[in-house]
Amino acid sequence: LQMDDLDIRAGDYHEAPAGSRHGRVGSTGGALIYLRGVSLGDTKSVVRDMLTAWLPGRGGTPRTVREAEGAWADIAPGARLKPLFEDSEEASMLLRLEPGARVASVFPGECLVIEGEGFVGDTLLRDGEYDCAQDDVQACELSSDTGALFYLHSRRRPGAWTPSMPG
């Protein structure tokens, strides 16, 4: 995936905060990307993001975490976690589960299987499939019979079981 001069490869994480500018997105060979943004039903946020995108010096600075950057932490047998982003309201991370691994009491939120097959509770997700827990869900178990790499994002309880994030 290319964004102007920036090449984003499989396993990389790119964050463009609300109001930040980013380049034209394209791909010469095709790419599966996960884009999160403001809900189109949230008119105030959509208008704010559109206006700040045109104003110089507004919005946060985009950042990229390469697949080989950052530290993985062992959180359970066969389970490793790599923090990507955390602030006082939300957190994003990668979770790698080896075949047969389970992680209990995972906070609810968004879950995307990047590679492999994994379960979110009783729901099987395969490469590129996504699940979003409802607000009333307290927690669920993530597991994999074959091994999986998950992208996780939560707007609640950031830091609940994540290691400290680099500043």
Side-chain angles (χ1 to χ4, degrees):
L1 178 77
Q2 292 81 39
M3 293 178 67
D4 287 336
D5 294 336
L6 179 65
D7 285 330
I8 302 170
R9 306 216 179 273
D12 290 350
Y13 170 82
H14 180 77
E15 173 198 7
S20 64
R21 293 180 174 203
H22 55 80
R24 182 177 169 174
V25 177
S27 175
T28 56
L32 173 64
I33 60 173
Y34 172 62
L35 299 173
R36 289 187 76 250
V38 174
S39 168
L40 294 178
D42 185 356
T43 306
K44 180 180 174 184
S45 295
V46 170
V47 170
R48 177 204 66 214
D49 286 355
M50 289 177 68
L51 290 174
T52 57
W54 290 313
L55 298 173
R58 302 287 184 185
T61 303
R63 71 183 189 94
T64 303
V65 177
R66 300 293 179 187
E67 180 181 25
E69 295 174 345
W72 288 85
D74 293 323
I75 60 168
R80 304 189 82 202
L81 186 76
K82 179 180 178 177
L84 299 170
F85 168 82
E86 184 174 350
D87 67 14
S88 62
E89 298 176 6
E90 56 190 321
S92 295
M93 62 208 72
L94 294 175
L95 173 68
R96 181 169 298 282
L97 296 180
E98 298 301 323
R102 303 178 116 45
V103 177
S105 299
V106 173
F107 59 82
E110 300 173 63
C111 180
L112 171 71
V113 173
I114 297 172
E115 63 184 37
E117 294 183 351
F119 288 91
V120 178
D122 293 332
T123 303
L124 174 63
L125 299 178
R126 293 182 173 95
D127 290 352
E129 293 182 340
Y130 169 87
D131 185 67
C132 184
Q134 301 299 317
D135 287 338
D136 61 347
V137 173
Q138 294 302 310
C140 66
E141 179 180 75
L142 296 180
S143 62
S144 178
D145 294 335
T146 60
L149 177 62
F150 292 87
Y151 166 79
L152 304 173
H153 179 86
S154 178
R155 288 186 179 252
R156 300 188 330 189
R157 294 178 47 208
W161 51 272
T162 63
S164 297
M165 301 290 294

Short mmCIF file of all heavy atoms in Angstrom, two decimals, residues 20-73:
data_model
loop_
_atom_site.label_atom_id
_atom_site.label_comp_id
_atom_site.label_asym_id
_atom_site.label_seq_id
_atom_site.Cartn_x
_atom_site.Cartn_y
_atom_site.Cartn_z
N SER A 20 -5.62 14.82 10.95
CA SER A 20 -4.30 14.81 10.34
C SER A 20 -4.43 14.67 8.83
O SER A 20 -5.46 14.25 8.31
CB SER A 20 -3.44 13.68 10.91
OG SER A 20 -4.00 12.43 10.58
N ARG A 21 -3.38 15.03 8.16
CA ARG A 21 -3.36 14.89 6.70
C ARG A 21 -2.62 13.62 6.33
O ARG A 21 -1.64 13.26 6.96
CB ARG A 21 -2.66 16.08 6.08
CG ARG A 21 -3.41 17.36 6.26
CD ARG A 21 -2.66 18.49 5.63
NE ARG A 21 -3.50 19.67 5.71
CZ ARG A 21 -3.37 20.70 4.92
NH1 ARG A 21 -2.44 20.72 4.00
NH2 ARG A 21 -4.16 21.74 5.06
N HIS A 22 -3.12 12.98 5.31
CA HIS A 22 -2.39 11.84 4.77
C HIS A 22 -2.51 11.88 3.26
O HIS A 22 -3.40 12.53 2.71
CB HIS A 22 -2.89 10.51 5.35
CG HIS A 22 -4.35 10.27 5.19
ND1 HIS A 22 -4.91 9.83 4.03
CD2 HIS A 22 -5.36 10.43 6.07
CE1 HIS A 22 -6.21 9.71 4.18
NE2 HIS A 22 -6.52 10.08 5.40
N GLY A 23 -1.60 11.19 2.63
CA GLY A 23 -1.54 11.24 1.19
C GLY A 23 -2.57 10.35 0.52
O GLY A 23 -3.36 9.67 1.16
N ARG A 24 -2.50 10.39 -0.78
CA ARG A 24 -3.37 9.55 -1.61
C ARG A 24 -3.03 8.09 -1.36
O ARG A 24 -1.86 7.71 -1.31
CB ARG A 24 -3.14 9.92 -3.06
CG ARG A 24 -4.00 9.18 -4.00
CD ARG A 24 -3.75 9.66 -5.40
NE ARG A 24 -4.42 8.75 -6.31
CZ ARG A 24 -4.50 8.93 -7.58
NH1 ARG A 24 -3.95 9.99 -8.14
NH2 ARG A 24 -5.12 8.06 -8.34
N VAL A 25 -4.04 7.26 -1.20
CA VAL A 25 -3.85 5.84 -0.92
C VAL A 25 -3.97 5.05 -2.21
O VAL A 25 -4.91 5.24 -2.98
CB VAL A 25 -4.90 5.34 0.10
CG1 VAL A 25 -4.74 3.86 0.36
CG2 VAL A 25 -4.79 6.13 1.40
N GLY A 26 -2.99 4.15 -2.45
CA GLY A 26 -3.04 3.33 -3.65
C GLY A 26 -2.25 2.04 -3.45
O GLY A 26 -1.54 1.87 -2.46
N SER A 27 -2.39 1.15 -4.40
CA SER A 27 -1.65 -0.10 -4.37
C SER A 27 -1.44 -0.59 -5.78
O SER A 27 -2.38 -0.60 -6.59
CB SER A 27 -2.42 -1.16 -3.56
OG SER A 27 -1.75 -2.39 -3.63
N THR A 28 -0.21 -1.00 -6.09
CA THR A 28 0.07 -1.52 -7.42
C THR A 28 -0.27 -3.01 -7.53
O THR A 28 -0.59 -3.49 -8.60
CB THR A 28 1.55 -1.32 -7.79
OG1 THR A 28 2.36 -1.93 -6.79
CG2 THR A 28 1.88 0.16 -7.91
N GLY A 29 -0.21 -3.73 -6.39
CA GLY A 29 -0.46 -5.17 -6.44
C GLY A 29 -1.69 -5.61 -5.66
O GLY A 29 -1.93 -6.80 -5.52
N GLY A 30 -2.45 -4.65 -5.13
CA GLY A 30 -3.62 -4.99 -4.33
C GLY A 30 -3.24 -5.11 -2.86
O GLY A 30 -2.10 -5.45 -2.53
N ALA A 31 -4.17 -4.81 -1.99
CA ALA A 31 -3.90 -4.87 -0.56
C ALA A 31 -5.22 -4.99 0.19
O ALA A 31 -6.25 -4.49 -0.25
CB ALA A 31 -3.17 -3.61 -0.10
N LEU A 32 -5.17 -5.68 1.31
CA LEU A 32 -6.29 -5.72 2.24
C LEU A 32 -5.91 -4.79 3.38
O LEU A 32 -4.89 -4.99 4.04
CB LEU A 32 -6.52 -7.13 2.78
CG LEU A 32 -7.56 -7.27 3.90
CD1 LEU A 32 -8.94 -6.87 3.40
CD2 LEU A 32 -7.57 -8.69 4.44
N ILE A 33 -6.70 -3.73 3.59
CA ILE A 33 -6.41 -2.78 4.65
C ILE A 33 -7.64 -2.62 5.52
O ILE A 33 -8.77 -2.82 5.08
CB ILE A 33 -5.95 -1.41 4.11
CG1 ILE A 33 -7.03 -0.77 3.23
CG2 ILE A 33 -4.67 -1.54 3.33
CD1 ILE A 33 -6.73 0.65 2.80
N TYR A 34 -7.39 -2.28 6.76
CA TYR A 34 -8.46 -2.02 7.72
C TYR A 34 -8.43 -0.54 8.03
O TYR A 34 -7.44 -0.03 8.54
CB TYR A 34 -8.23 -2.87 8.98
CG TYR A 34 -9.15 -2.54 10.12
CD1 TYR A 34 -10.52 -2.72 10.00
CD2 TYR A 34 -8.65 -2.07 11.32
CE1 TYR A 34 -11.37 -2.44 11.06
CE2 TYR A 34 -9.49 -1.79 12.38
CZ TYR A 34 -10.85 -1.96 12.24
OH TYR A 34 -11.69 -1.68 13.28
N LEU A 35 -9.49 0.16 7.69
CA LEU A 35 -9.60 1.59 7.94
C LEU A 35 -10.63 1.82 9.03
O LEU A 35 -11.75 1.34 8.93
CB LEU A 35 -10.03 2.34 6.68
CG LEU A 35 -9.11 2.26 5.49
CD1 LEU A 35 -9.75 2.91 4.27
CD2 LEU A 35 -7.77 2.91 5.79
N ARG A 36 -10.25 2.53 10.06
CA ARG A 36 -11.19 2.94 11.11
C ARG A 36 -11.33 4.43 11.01
O ARG A 36 -10.36 5.14 10.83
CB ARG A 36 -10.61 2.69 12.50
CG ARG A 36 -10.47 1.45 13.00
CD ARG A 36 -10.04 1.42 14.48
NE ARG A 36 -11.14 1.73 15.36
CZ ARG A 36 -11.24 2.84 16.05
NH1 ARG A 36 -10.35 3.77 15.98
NH2 ARG A 36 -12.26 3.03 16.83
N GLY A 37 -12.53 4.87 11.22
CA GLY A 37 -12.76 6.30 11.20
C GLY A 37 -14.00 6.65 11.98
O GLY A 37 -14.59 5.81 12.65
N VAL A 38 -14.39 7.87 11.85
CA VAL A 38 -15.58 8.36 12.53
C VAL A 38 -16.81 7.81 11.83
O VAL A 38 -16.88 7.76 10.61
CB VAL A 38 -15.58 9.91 12.48
CG1 VAL A 38 -16.86 10.47 13.05
CG2 VAL A 38 -14.38 10.46 13.20
N SER A 39 -17.79 7.41 12.60
CA SER A 39 -19.05 6.94 12.06
C SER A 39 -19.71 8.06 11.26
O SER A 39 -19.75 9.21 11.70
CB SER A 39 -19.97 6.51 13.19
OG SER A 39 -21.28 6.32 12.70
N LEU A 40 -20.22 7.74 10.08
CA LEU A 40 -20.88 8.75 9.27
C LEU A 40 -22.12 9.31 9.96
O LEU A 40 -22.59 10.38 9.62
CB LEU A 40 -21.23 8.19 7.90
CG LEU A 40 -20.02 7.85 7.03
CD1 LEU A 40 -20.46 7.25 5.72
CD2 LEU A 40 -19.15 9.06 6.80
N GLY A 41 -22.65 8.61 10.96
CA GLY A 41 -23.78 9.10 11.73
C GLY A 41 -23.39 10.17 12.74
O GLY A 41 -24.24 10.85 13.30
N ASP A 42 -22.10 10.33 12.98
CA ASP A 42 -21.59 11.32 13.93
C ASP A 42 -21.23 12.59 13.16
O ASP A 42 -20.07 12.88 12.89
CB ASP A 42 -20.37 10.75 14.66
CG ASP A 42 -19.84 11.66 15.75
OD1 ASP A 42 -20.36 12.78 15.93
OD2 ASP A 42 -18.88 11.24 16.43
N THR A 43 -22.25 13.35 12.80
CA THR A 43 -22.09 14.51 11.91
C THR A 43 -21.06 15.51 12.41
O THR A 43 -20.23 16.00 11.65
CB THR A 43 -23.45 15.23 11.71
OG1 THR A 43 -24.40 14.26 11.28
CG2 THR A 43 -23.34 16.34 10.70
N LYS A 44 -21.08 15.82 13.70
CA LYS A 44 -20.13 16.79 14.27
C LYS A 44 -18.68 16.36 14.03
O LYS A 44 -17.85 17.15 13.59
CB LYS A 44 -20.40 16.96 15.75
CG LYS A 44 -19.49 17.95 16.44
CD LYS A 44 -19.82 18.04 17.92
CE LYS A 44 -18.82 18.91 18.65
NZ LYS A 44 -19.07 18.94 20.09
N SER A 45 -18.37 15.10 14.29
CA SER A 45 -17.00 14.60 14.11
C SER A 45 -16.61 14.55 12.64
O SER A 45 -15.46 14.85 12.28
CB SER A 45 -16.84 13.22 14.74
OG SER A 45 -17.00 13.31 16.13
N VAL A 46 -17.54 14.17 11.77
CA VAL A 46 -17.24 14.11 10.33
C VAL A 46 -16.91 15.50 9.82
O VAL A 46 -15.91 15.70 9.12
CB VAL A 46 -18.43 13.50 9.55
CG1 VAL A 46 -18.22 13.66 8.05
CG2 VAL A 46 -18.60 12.03 9.89
N VAL A 47 -17.72 16.51 10.17
CA VAL A 47 -17.48 17.88 9.73
C VAL A 47 -16.15 18.38 10.30
O VAL A 47 -15.34 18.99 9.58
CB VAL A 47 -18.64 18.81 10.14
CG1 VAL A 47 -18.29 20.26 9.90
CG2 VAL A 47 -19.90 18.43 9.37
N ARG A 48 -15.88 18.11 11.60
CA ARG A 48 -14.60 18.53 12.21
C ARG A 48 -13.43 17.95 11.45
O ARG A 48 -12.48 18.65 11.11
CB ARG A 48 -14.55 18.08 13.67
CG ARG A 48 -13.22 18.43 14.35
CD ARG A 48 -12.89 17.54 15.52
NE ARG A 48 -12.67 16.18 15.06
CZ ARG A 48 -13.00 15.11 15.77
NH1 ARG A 48 -13.58 15.21 16.94
NH2 ARG A 48 -12.76 13.90 15.29
N ASP A 49 -13.47 16.63 11.15
CA ASP A 49 -12.35 15.99 10.47
C ASP A 49 -12.17 16.51 9.06
O ASP A 49 -11.04 16.68 8.59
CB ASP A 49 -12.53 14.47 10.46
CG ASP A 49 -12.27 13.85 11.82
OD1 ASP A 49 -11.85 14.58 12.74
OD2 ASP A 49 -12.48 12.63 11.96
N MET A 50 -13.27 16.80 8.37
CA MET A 50 -13.16 17.33 7.01
C MET A 50 -12.55 18.73 7.02
O MET A 50 -11.69 19.04 6.20
CB MET A 50 -14.53 17.34 6.33
CG MET A 50 -15.04 15.95 5.99
SD MET A 50 -16.68 15.97 5.28
CE MET A 50 -16.36 16.77 3.72
N LEU A 51 -12.97 19.57 7.95
CA LEU A 51 -12.44 20.93 8.02
C LEU A 51 -10.98 20.95 8.45
O LEU A 51 -10.17 21.66 7.85
CB LEU A 51 -13.28 21.79 8.97
CG LEU A 51 -14.68 22.13 8.49
CD1 LEU A 51 -15.45 22.85 9.58
CD2 LEU A 51 -14.63 22.95 7.21
N THR A 52 -10.63 20.19 9.48
CA THR A 52 -9.24 20.22 9.97
C THR A 52 -8.27 19.60 8.97
O THR A 52 -7.09 19.91 8.98
CB THR A 52 -9.10 19.53 11.34
OG1 THR A 52 -9.56 18.19 11.24
CG2 THR A 52 -9.87 20.27 12.41
N ALA A 53 -8.76 18.74 8.10
CA ALA A 53 -7.88 18.15 7.08
C ALA A 53 -7.37 19.21 6.11
O ALA A 53 -6.31 19.05 5.52
CB ALA A 53 -8.61 17.05 6.32
N TRP A 54 -8.11 20.31 5.94
CA TRP A 54 -7.70 21.37 5.01
C TRP A 54 -6.95 22.50 5.69
O TRP A 54 -6.40 23.36 5.02
CB TRP A 54 -8.92 21.94 4.28
CG TRP A 54 -9.50 20.98 3.30
CD1 TRP A 54 -8.84 20.24 2.38
CD2 TRP A 54 -10.88 20.64 3.16
NE1 TRP A 54 -9.70 19.45 1.68
CE2 TRP A 54 -10.97 19.68 2.13
CE3 TRP A 54 -12.04 21.04 3.81
CZ2 TRP A 54 -12.17 19.14 1.73
CZ3 TRP A 54 -13.25 20.49 3.40
CH2 TRP A 54 -13.31 19.56 2.38
N LEU A 55 -6.91 22.52 7.01
CA LEU A 55 -6.24 23.60 7.71
C LEU A 55 -4.79 23.22 8.00
O LEU A 55 -4.52 22.15 8.53
CB LEU A 55 -6.96 23.92 9.03
CG LEU A 55 -8.40 24.40 8.89
CD1 LEU A 55 -9.05 24.51 10.27
CD2 LEU A 55 -8.45 25.73 8.16
N PRO A 56 -3.84 24.07 7.68
CA PRO A 56 -2.43 23.74 7.94
C PRO A 56 -2.16 23.66 9.44
O PRO A 56 -2.69 24.44 10.23
CB PRO A 56 -1.65 24.89 7.29
CG PRO A 56 -2.64 26.00 7.17
CD PRO A 56 -4.01 25.39 7.07
N GLY A 57 -1.35 22.68 9.83
CA GLY A 57 -0.91 22.56 11.21
C GLY A 57 -1.95 22.01 12.16
O GLY A 57 -1.74 22.02 13.36
N ARG A 58 -3.07 21.54 11.69
CA ARG A 58 -4.12 21.01 12.56
C ARG A 58 -4.05 19.50 12.60
O ARG A 58 -3.58 18.85 11.69
CB ARG A 58 -5.51 21.43 12.05
CG ARG A 58 -5.70 22.91 11.94
CD ARG A 58 -5.85 23.50 13.29
NE ARG A 58 -6.13 24.93 13.16
CZ ARG A 58 -6.21 25.73 14.15
NH1 ARG A 58 -6.04 25.30 15.37
NH2 ARG A 58 -6.45 27.00 13.96
N GLY A 59 -4.55 18.95 13.67
CA GLY A 59 -4.62 17.50 13.79
C GLY A 59 -3.31 16.92 14.28
O GLY A 59 -2.29 17.60 14.38
N GLY A 60 -3.36 15.62 14.62
CA GLY A 60 -2.18 14.93 15.11
C GLY A 60 -1.23 14.57 13.99
O GLY A 60 -1.54 14.71 12.81
N THR A 61 -0.08 14.09 14.38
CA THR A 61 0.93 13.67 13.41
C THR A 61 0.77 12.18 13.13
O THR A 61 0.76 11.37 14.06
CB THR A 61 2.34 13.93 13.96
OG1 THR A 61 2.45 15.32 14.27
CG2 THR A 61 3.40 13.52 12.97
N PRO A 62 0.64 11.79 11.87
CA PRO A 62 0.57 10.36 11.55
C PRO A 62 1.85 9.65 11.98
O PRO A 62 2.93 10.24 12.04
CB PRO A 62 0.43 10.33 10.03
CG PRO A 62 -0.09 11.68 9.67
CD PRO A 62 0.50 12.62 10.68
N ARG A 63 1.72 8.37 12.32
CA ARG A 63 2.90 7.58 12.67
C ARG A 63 2.71 6.16 12.16
O ARG A 63 1.59 5.69 12.00
CB ARG A 63 3.16 7.59 14.17
CG ARG A 63 2.19 6.82 14.98
CD ARG A 63 2.50 6.95 16.48
NE ARG A 63 1.67 6.05 17.23
CZ ARG A 63 2.02 4.84 17.60
NH1 ARG A 63 3.23 4.38 17.33
NH2 ARG A 63 1.20 4.06 18.27
N THR A 64 3.83 5.50 11.90
CA THR A 64 3.81 4.13 11.39
C THR A 64 4.67 3.26 12.29
O THR A 64 5.77 3.65 12.66
CB THR A 64 4.37 4.10 9.94
OG1 THR A 64 3.57 4.98 9.14
CG2 THR A 64 4.33 2.70 9.37
N VAL A 65 4.16 2.10 12.65
CA VAL A 65 4.92 1.09 13.38
C VAL A 65 5.14 -0.06 12.41
O VAL A 65 4.19 -0.69 11.94
CB VAL A 65 4.16 0.59 14.64
CG1 VAL A 65 4.95 -0.50 15.34
CG2 VAL A 65 3.86 1.75 15.58
N ARG A 66 6.39 -0.31 12.09
CA ARG A 66 6.73 -1.39 11.16
C ARG A 66 6.61 -2.74 11.86
O ARG A 66 6.75 -2.85 13.08
CB ARG A 66 8.16 -1.22 10.63
CG ARG A 66 8.38 0.08 9.90
CD ARG A 66 7.59 0.11 8.62
NE ARG A 66 7.79 1.37 7.92
CZ ARG A 66 7.11 1.70 6.85
NH1 ARG A 66 6.21 0.88 6.34
NH2 ARG A 66 7.32 2.86 6.26
N GLU A 67 6.37 -3.76 11.07
CA GLU A 67 6.19 -5.10 11.61
C GLU A 67 7.35 -5.51 12.52
O GLU A 67 7.14 -6.11 13.58
CB GLU A 67 6.05 -6.12 10.48
CG GLU A 67 5.85 -7.53 10.96
CD GLU A 67 5.73 -8.52 9.83
OE1 GLU A 67 6.24 -8.25 8.72
OE2 GLU A 67 5.14 -9.59 10.06
N ALA A 68 8.58 -5.15 12.16
CA ALA A 68 9.75 -5.56 12.93
C ALA A 68 10.02 -4.65 14.13
O ALA A 68 10.91 -4.93 14.93
CB ALA A 68 10.98 -5.59 12.02
N GLU A 69 9.29 -3.54 14.27
CA GLU A 69 9.51 -2.61 15.37
C GLU A 69 8.64 -2.96 16.57
O GLU A 69 7.59 -3.58 16.44
CB GLU A 69 9.17 -1.18 14.94
CG GLU A 69 10.06 -0.64 13.87
CD GLU A 69 9.60 0.72 13.36
OE1 GLU A 69 8.46 1.13 13.62
OE2 GLU A 69 10.42 1.36 12.68
N GLY A 70 9.07 -2.53 17.74
CA GLY A 70 8.28 -2.74 18.95
C GLY A 70 8.54 -4.10 19.56
O GLY A 70 9.06 -5.00 18.93
N ALA A 71 8.15 -4.21 20.82
CA ALA A 71 8.41 -5.44 21.56
C ALA A 71 7.13 -6.24 21.75
O ALA A 71 6.05 -5.69 21.96
CB ALA A 71 8.99 -5.09 22.93
N TRP A 72 7.28 -7.54 21.66
CA TRP A 72 6.19 -8.47 21.95
C TRP A 72 6.35 -8.91 23.40
O TRP A 72 7.46 -9.17 23.85
CB TRP A 72 6.25 -9.69 21.03
CG TRP A 72 5.86 -9.41 19.62
CD1 TRP A 72 6.68 -8.94 18.63
CD2 TRP A 72 4.57 -9.55 19.04
NE1 TRP A 72 5.98 -8.80 17.45
CE2 TRP A 72 4.68 -9.18 17.68
CE3 TRP A 72 3.34 -9.97 19.52
CZ2 TRP A 72 3.59 -9.22 16.81
CZ3 TRP A 72 2.26 -10.01 18.65
CH2 TRP A 72 2.39 -9.62 17.32
N ALA A 73 5.23 -9.02 24.11
CA ALA A 73 5.24 -9.47 25.51
C ALA A 73 4.45 -10.78 25.62
O ALA A 73 3.36 -10.90 25.06
CB ALA A 73 4.62 -8.42 26.41
#
